[in-house]
Amino acid sequence: MAVHPSHRVTIIDVARHANVSAGTVSNALTGKRPVAEETRARIMQAIRDLGYQPNLLARGLVNQRSQTVGVVASGLDYYGPSRTLIGIDQEANALGYALLLDLLHSPMEANVDTVLNVLSARRVDGIIWAVHEIGNNRAWVASERLNRLPPIVFLTMHPQPGVAVVNTDNYLGAKMATQHLLELGRCSIGLISGPLVWWEARERQRGWRDCLLAAGREASDNLTVLGDWRAASGEAGLMALIEARPEIDAVFVANDEMALGVLRAAHRLGKRVPEDLAVVGYDNMPDVPYFWPALTSVRPRLLEVGKLAIQTLHSIVEARRQNQEISTPEVQTLGPELIVRESTVGDPPTGK
Amino acid sequence: MAVHPSHRVTIIDVARHANVSAGTVSNALTGKRPVAEETRARIMQAIRDLGYQPNLLARGLVNQRSQTVGVVASGLDYYGPSRTLIGIDQEANALGYALLLDLLHSPMEANVDTVLNVLSARRVDGIIWAVHEIGNNRAWVASERLNRLPPIVFLTMHPQPGVAVVNTDNYLGAKMATQHLLELGRCSIGLISGPLVWWEARERQRGWRDCLLAAGREASDNLTVLGDWRAASGEAGLMALIEARPEIDAVFVANDEMALGVLRAAHRLGKRVPEDLAVVGYDNMPDVPYFWPALTSVRPRLLEVGKLAIQTLHSIVEARRQNQEISTPEVQTLGPELIVRESTVGDPPTGK
DNA sequence: TTGTAGGCGTTATCAA
DNA sequence: TTGATAACGCCTACAA
């Protein structure tokens, strides 16, 4: 048996081997036309004998669809984006799509055109845009460019007419976190925010503010500190916050990493959590239950976001293929969940 | 301007528009044959006018190469695998490959054949196998199957003749960690290991043991506890370890997540880190500097692993295309780095 | 330097 | 139920 068959086995080889025409083999494989049972058996045997693999490039060429979805993402070294990608992969597998992955090194990067061109040239059936909305890095969405591209589903962005979006509800998540702190009887609830050029950061800030105002509380600027999502900025953030408002007894932190920094700062300052300071994070990363103390956090349903994104894309692709109306709503938002742990209510079991 | 051009613009449209033949357009695009400067300009203009995108499916079909690399990975919700994937993506971009991503939900899964068939059918130029070696989930590597597949580069696996492997040196990393603890004068150094069906876990265990034995120390079984990589098992692990060997004053933990659990257990037991117990982790996740106390950890060079994997694959692909000998060594191993922090040497700045 | 023709591996159409 | 034939969009000899 030759190790490198000089001639990749094609559908024609199979046809010859089974004494039928290539068309019949194709029919047996795709099931689009009936094939006699006896013939089909012969064909299947030939396929096994020859180790035939259909060439999906050729198939895509004639079918005008590649069964491929382009995924443009960034920040994969964070937990959230990875998690979403897993959801995307699972559902794509289920629906028979392959994933063409494209990572943007910096989400602000302007090489959007290059990426879109590549995906377009590879004739992906659709695109999932999983790059965080930062500054005006979505400006191109309004452009006429969009019409010349395959269907796109956007993740976590400000709703925009004519654009399919799947969101996780950052506003609600922040509200739930803040409400929880209010219900614990906390008087002065600070916020350590993400950079406000991020849409998600703005949404979480808005949730925190609206919740406080609705309760007749103060939500002034010096209760807020800007972080950069990293733990270091959470640590510095708490220091600054306490400097400005020493009476603070709770803080909502816009992500878990910064919350880790907050916990560290609290330890250094000798503040007890949650007695002196209650802390809520966001993202519910896998290791927050083992922080010291275990961190109360908001869990966005990222796996579902990924799955829903592919489902939505699929239905758009199908609708367009059949020139039907699109039945999916333009914006779909998944509600989060608050997971309460020691950093707001518990005494961590201490001492032996 | 029609929103859905009924007829995707092809190289022939461009040719007509520019008053040349399709072949000339192709030459202008690929640069494989000279084209008069004046003609080329006309062609480029036509391409812009028409918004032409070459069809890479068709190109792949005739060229017999798709400029695509299949990446099979798992555990993407952990930091390590994501990091490696980023490296893979970066280098693939640089070399002009697109990435076809395939995630295995369980790394022990037996559906290896399905995955390989899909990749094979899509005519990827090569494959990167980034699934952790667990149990005998690499058994297929020895099979004749391998010869019927495109070139494959394996990540983190036990070297095997005839197989290209890119590794990070788990054995050395564990040795460095243990050596560090020895040099601090620690007397009784425990190990919290990963599941021993993982090759990497065995390597790290071996490093710990050999280092201790080389120093004339004890490395007996009751200095070892098995974990499952998750924080919970680290927490339970330290409890068990101290139960068995109360005199323990240092522990090497096979990953950072479990180390987080160990820190938590130490707090609960009232043990001071590092005074009573020095702790070293593995992976150097981004948030370990903000653990309490900051965690000393081994940093594997994962980004480089990803890049090197693609480079290696690329050179194998090229060599095979030209029927040359493969010039890359079969096994390439990248050494790790030990990052020392408070959990072994420091006093975390405490109180104000 | 450019044009023409044939083929890459499939599927779809039209007959048989 | 099956077979021949013509696309799908591109590249590459071979000719001009």
Side-chain angles (χ1 to χ4, degrees):
Chain A
M1 209 174 286
V3 169
H4 296 307
S6 55
H7 172 70
R8 258 281 200 186
V9 21
T10 78
I11 203 172
I12 295 188
D13 301 317
V14 175
R16 255 198 293 270
H17 197 84
N19 261 316
V20 289
S21 76
T24 304
V25 176
S26 172
N27 292 334
L29 244 28
T30 63
K32 295 193 183 164
R33 302 212 168 290
V35 170
E37 197 41 62
E38 193 260 339
T39 325
R40 137 171 284 111
R42 232 169 46 236
I43 291 175
M44 291 312 181
Q45 188 56 49
I47 288 179
R48 263 180 310 247
D49 289 353
L50 270 40
Y52 167 70
Q53 299 270 23
N55 184 330
L56 296 196
L57 296 182
R59 188 178 279 177
L61 184 57
V62 46
N63 282 346
Q64 303 280 52
R65 59 184 334 211
S66 59
Q67 297 284 46
T68 297
V69 168
V71 178
V72 187
S74 70
L76 216 67
D77 39 1
Y78 287 84
Y79 174 70
S82 296
R83 192 80 187 143
T84 309
L85 184 55
I86 292 175
I88 291 174
D89 176 83
Q90 288 185 3
E91 196 64 21
N93 266 351
L95 259 37
Y97 291 103
L99 252 38
L100 220 47
L101 183 68
D102 225 311
L103 300 183
L104 260 35
H105 302 172
S106 145
M108 319 218 37
E109 230 165 346
N111 65 354
V112 169
D113 267 340
T114 318
V115 170
L116 290 175
N117 283 341
V118 169
L119 258 27
S120 195
R122 293 194 180 264
R123 295 299 187 271
V124 295
D125 297 334
I127 296 177
I128 293 198
W129 196 262
V131 183
H132 297 271
E133 181 177 1
I134 307 179
N136 67 344
N137 74 347
R138 294 274 172 98
W140 62 275
V141 175
S143 72
E144 213 264 325
R145 179 78 202 267
L146 211 54
N147 299 324
R148 306 206 150 268
L149 289 172
I152 308 190
V153 169
F154 291 86
L155 263 40
T156 52
M157 83 178 273
H158 192 68
Q160 205 167 108
V163 176
V165 176
V166 174
N167 267 337
T168 162
D169 198 333
N170 291 285
Y171 177 71
L172 177 58
K175 260 188 147 164
M176 290 165 64
T178 312
Q179 185 63 36
H180 172 60
L181 291 170
L182 281 174
E183 283 166 5
L184 290 171
R186 299 296 166 152
C187 304
S188 185
I189 302 175
L191 165 72
I192 296 184
S193 161
L196 293 180
V197 286
W198 289 59
W199 178 67
E200 291 172 277
R202 291 195 300 276
E203 287 292 291
R204 292 176 193 176
Q205 182 192 45
R206 203 163 60 85
W208 166 81
R209 188 199 314 277
D210 284 5
C211 182
L212 287 183
L213 295 181
R217 300 301 185 82
E218 173 201 10
S220 61
D221 274 357
N222 69 357
L223 277 173
T224 298
V225 169
L226 288 182
D228 64 2
W229 299 127
R230 316 293 321 214
S233 72
E235 188 170 15
L238 184 64
M239 303 293 197
L241 208 51
I242 285 180
E243 178 88 20
R245 303 287 298 253
E247 80 280 14
I248 263 186
D249 60 359
V251 57
F252 168 50
V253 191
N255 80 344
D256 290 338
E257 270 203 68
M258 292 194 297
L260 179 60
V262 165
L263 293 182
R264 188 176 162 86
H267 289 135
R268 293 178 53 181
L269 295 171
K271 288 225 174 222
R272 292 166 306 157
V273 177
E275 293 85 345
D276 305 331
L277 184 78
V279 180
V280 181
Y282 208 111
D283 283 346
N284 197 45
M285 299 188 325
D287 42 0
V288 299
Y290 298 90
F291 284 2
W292 184 255
L295 184 68
T296 295
S297 188
V298 179
R299 183 174 84 86
R301 308 205 336 255
L302 264 12
L303 209 70
E304 284 101 321
V305 166
K307 291 187 179 185
L308 187 54
I310 287 279
Q311 288 165 4
T312 304
L313 188 58
H314 178 63
S315 72
I316 296 177
V317 168
E318 287 301 311
R320 188 176 286 194
R321 249 167 58 85
Q322 302 165 18
N323 271 321
Q324 293 174 5
E325 276 305 298
I326 294 167
S327 58
T328 333
E330 282 201 335
V331 178
Q332 298 175 91
T333 304
L334 293 173
E337 186 186 354
L338 180 71
I339 316 265
V340 177
R341 299 198 182 86
E342 298 161 1
S343 71
T344 54
V345 301
D347 2 37
T350 211
K352 42 169 94 193
Chain B
M1 208 174 287
V3 169
H4 295 308
S6 55
H7 171 71
R8 258 282 202 185
V9 22
T10 79
I11 203 171
I12 296 188
D13 301 316
V14 174
R16 256 199 292 271
H17 196 84
N19 262 314
V20 291
S21 74
T24 306
V25 177
S26 171
N27 292 333
L29 245 29
T30 63
K32 294 192 183 164
R33 298 208 174 290
V35 170
E37 197 40 61
E38 193 262 339
T39 326
R40 138 171 284 112
R42 234 169 44 236
I43 292 175
M44 290 315 180
Q45 189 56 50
I47 289 181
R48 264 181 309 244
D49 289 352
L50 272 40
Y52 167 71
Q53 299 270 25
N55 184 329
L56 296 195
L57 296 181
R59 189 179 279 176
L61 184 56
V62 45
N63 281 346
Q64 303 280 54
R65 59 185 331 211
S66 60
Q67 298 285 45
T68 298
V69 168
V71 178
V72 187
S74 70
L76 216 67
D77 41 359
Y78 287 83
Y79 175 70
S82 296
R83 193 82 187 139
T84 310
L85 183 55
I86 292 176
I88 291 175
D89 176 82
Q90 288 185 3
E91 196 65 21
N93 267 348
L95 261 37
Y97 291 103
L99 253 38
L100 220 48
L101 183 67
D102 226 312
L103 300 183
L104 261 36
H105 301 171
S106 146
M108 316 217 41
E109 230 167 347
N111 65 354
V112 170
D113 266 341
T114 318
V115 171
L116 290 175
N117 283 341
V118 169
L119 258 24
S120 195
R122 292 194 179 263
R123 296 299 189 272
V124 295
D125 297 333
I127 296 177
I128 294 200
W129 196 262
V131 183
H132 296 272
E133 181 175 2
I134 307 179
N136 66 345
N137 73 347
R138 294 278 172 96
W140 62 274
V141 175
S143 73
E144 213 261 325
R145 179 77 203 267
L146 212 52
N147 298 326
R148 306 205 151 268
L149 288 172
I152 308 190
V153 169
F154 291 86
L155 263 37
T156 50
M157 83 177 274
H158 193 68
Q160 206 167 108
V163 176
V165 177
V166 174
N167 268 336
T168 163
D169 198 332
N170 290 285
Y171 176 71
L172 178 57
K175 260 189 147 165
M176 289 164 64
T178 311
Q179 185 63 37
H180 172 59
L181 292 169
L182 281 174
E183 284 166 3
L184 289 171
R186 300 294 165 153
C187 302
S188 184
I189 302 176
L191 167 71
I192 297 185
S193 162
L196 294 180
V197 286
W198 290 59
W199 178 67
E200 290 172 276
R202 292 195 299 277
E203 286 293 289
R204 292 176 194 177
Q205 182 191 45
R206 202 163 61 86
W208 166 81
R209 187 198 316 275
D210 284 5
C211 182
L212 287 183
L213 296 180
R217 301 300 186 82
E218 173 200 9
S220 62
D221 273 356
N222 67 358
L223 276 174
T224 298
V225 169
L226 288 182
D228 64 3
W229 298 127
R230 316 293 321 215
S233 71
E235 190 171 12
L238 184 65
M239 304 290 200
L241 208 51
I242 285 182
E243 178 90 18
R245 301 289 297 255
E247 82 280 15
I248 262 186
D249 60 0
V251 57
F252 168 50
V253 190
N255 79 345
D256 290 337
E257 269 203 68
M258 292 194 296
L260 180 60
V262 165
L263 292 182
R264 189 176 160 86
H267 289 136
R268 294 178 53 180
L269 295 171
K271 287 227 175 222
R272 291 167 307 157
V273 178
E275 294 84 346
D276 305 331
L277 184 77
V279 180
V280 182
Y282 208 112
D283 282 345
N284 197 46
M285 300 189 322
D287 43 0
V288 298
Y290 297 91
F291 284 2
W292 184 255
L295 184 68
T296 295
S297 188
V298 180
R299 183 175 85 85
R301 306 205 339 254
L302 263 14
L303 209 69
E304 284 100 320
V305 166
K307 292 186 178 187
L308 188 54
I310 287 279
Q311 287 164 4
T312 305
L313 187 57
H314 177 64
S315 72
I316 296 177
V317 168
E318 286 302 311
R320 189 177 287 193
R321 247 168 58 82
Q322 303 166 18
N323 272 319
Q324 293 174 6
E325 276 307 299
I326 294 169
S327 57
T328 333
E330 282 201 338
V331 179
Q332 299 174 90
T333 304
L334 292 172
E337 186 186 352
L338 180 71
I339 316 265
V340 176
R341 298 197 184 86
E342 298 161 0
S343 71
T344 54
V345 300
D347 2 39
T350 213
K352 41 170 88 191

